[in-house]
Amino acid sequence: MFKLLSICITSLLLIPTYSQSVSLKLFVEDAIGLKDTIVFGINDTATLGIDTSFNEFNIFGTPFDSLDIRVIQRDSANFNCIRETPFYSSPPSPNLYFPNNIDSKIDLRPFGSFESVYNNFEFFIYATNYPVTVRADFSEIQFHFLEGWSSIHLLNNNCDAIDYKPIYYDPINDSLFILTDSSFNTLVANFQHEVGIDEKNPLNDKTIYPNPAQTQFAIIGITENNSITIIDMMGRTIYQTISSINPTQIDITNWVEGLYIVKVKGNITTTNLKVIKQ
């Protein structure tokens, strides 16, 4: 049976004051020694989607080789496992889709801001000979502030996570997973900082300040009664309210340090923001 392995790479909350590039590489090798690779990461001069300055090209619609790994973007008519909030949030948030269908061999995204939503990387691996080994070259993330704040999750065919590995530079063991069959066909990697800048929507123009925050933060841009829900990184809802006050102040004095998802729902739009408690 042919194998389609989807690897979704999700990067979160990249603070724009940093101006260094990070290129990460994944390698796959099948049972008869065929190999393929992919490059993804962050670069302050990159763009979303296909960027010819990095020799990216769109191969969407072309047949897969017997072992083929591609970085992809998918619209709502095509399958993916990318979600609007961290993958393991409960209940699951809606899928996040792209305006175009793209396959390429390189995907470098620009440093983003807290308004960014296109902070995801997704890959397909197509294989015919098992087992398939997935390895990584994460050397460029060594000593970077992103190192150790990230993890790759192994998913099953229903996009449910069943295992994970941290993303950090390991000069001794670069093996991530060994795929024995098509039962587990998806990987999602979540970074604690985001890449990729979304065009700002004036109907959805809400921000958080300060961010990171220590004792409180304000949600700026409230223009109507908004339902505010805050979720921790375990997917638990820890705060809910309805507010029409602009800005709306949230006291976080007793919260544990870490990343939180702030969902602001109005009559027309829903905004997903992220805030770090220091």
Side-chain angles (χ1 to χ4, degrees):
M1 175 180 288
F2 289 113
K3 162 74 176 178
L4 186 62
L5 169 63
S6 166
I7 305 176
C8 309
I9 305 298
T10 304
S11 306
L12 305 177
L13 296 178
L14 188 88
I15 299 174
T17 54
Y18 290 84
S19 59
Q20 62 187 103
S21 300
V22 174
S23 293
L24 306 175
K25 302 177 181 68
L26 294 177
F27 303 90
V28 290
E29 182 175 359
D30 69 9
I32 63 173
L34 296 176
K35 300 178 182 180
D36 200 11
T37 186
I38 204 77
V39 177
F40 66 98
I42 53 177
N43 186 300
D44 55 1
T45 63
T47 61
L48 288 170
I50 296 298
D51 189 338
T52 56
S53 66
F54 293 108
N55 297 317
E56 299 178 14
F57 54 95
N58 191 0
I59 52 178
F60 179 72
T62 62
F64 286 98
D65 295 330
S66 56
L67 181 66
D68 199 342
I69 179 171
R70 302 180 182 185
V71 59
I72 71 167
Q73 296 176 12
R74 290 291 183 261
D75 63 19
S76 59
N78 292 270
F79 175 81
N80 69 22
C81 287
I82 295 177
R83 297 173 181 170
E84 293 179 356
T85 58
F87 175 79
Y88 38 82
S89 296
S90 180
S93 66
N95 278 20
L96 177 62
Y97 297 103
F98 290 85
N100 299 299
N101 291 309
I102 293 173
D103 294 4
S104 66
K105 301 302 290 184
I106 302 173
D107 196 349
L108 296 178
R109 308 284 178 85
F111 283 109
S113 66
F114 289 102
E115 292 82 23
S116 176
V117 293
Y118 289 160
N119 47 17
N120 306 286
F121 296 91
E122 180 173 4
F123 303 85
F124 280 137
I125 295 176
Y126 188 87
T128 59
N129 301 288
Y130 290 92
V132 173
T133 302
V134 182
R135 294 188 173 90
D137 177 2
F138 294 154
S139 56
E140 289 193 16
I141 207 172
Q142 186 179 24
F143 307 124
H144 191 277
F145 76 103
L146 291 176
E147 186 178 23
W149 286 70
S150 317
S151 57
I152 293 183
H153 298 256
L154 175 64
L155 313 183
N156 61 20
N157 292 330
N158 295 321
C159 297
D160 299 319
I162 55 95
D163 196 5
Y164 76 97
K165 297 290 177 63
I167 294 179
Y168 66 95
Y169 176 55
D170 187 342
I172 298 175
N173 181 17
D174 63 358
S175 179
L176 296 180
F177 300 101
I178 297 177
L179 293 309
T180 58
D181 55 43
S182 60
S183 300
F184 308 104
N185 68 350
T186 306
L187 294 176
V188 172
N190 293 306
F191 288 80
Q192 291 290 329
H193 293 267
E194 66 185 16
V195 296
I197 301 174
D198 183 37
E199 293 182 2
K200 219 169 190 183
N201 184 341
L203 296 176
N204 212 12
D205 190 10
K206 297 178 178 63
T207 58
I208 288 177
Y209 183 84
N211 199 351
Q214 294 181 334
T215 59
Q216 66 177 11
F217 65 84
I219 304 174
I220 302 170
I222 303 294
T223 59
E224 58 186 356
N225 278 335
N226 281 258
S227 171
I228 300 171
T229 302
I230 300 178
I231 303 169
D232 68 12
M233 291 306 291
M234 297 301 292
R236 298 171 298 196
T237 298
I238 64 167
Y239 182 90
Q240 285 184 308
T241 191
I242 296 177
S243 176
S244 59
I245 301 172
N246 186 41
T248 294
Q249 300 284 340
I250 308 293
D251 185 351
I252 61 172
T253 303
N254 297 321
W255 294 13
V256 299
E257 294 183 358
L259 177 70
Y260 294 85
I261 305 301
V262 181
K263 298 177 70 69
V264 184
K265 184 176 182 179
N267 294 329
I268 300 176
T269 61
T270 297
T271 303
N272 294 312
L273 304 171
K274 304 177 183 79
V275 63
I276 297 175
K277 165 65 160 59
Q278 288 185 335

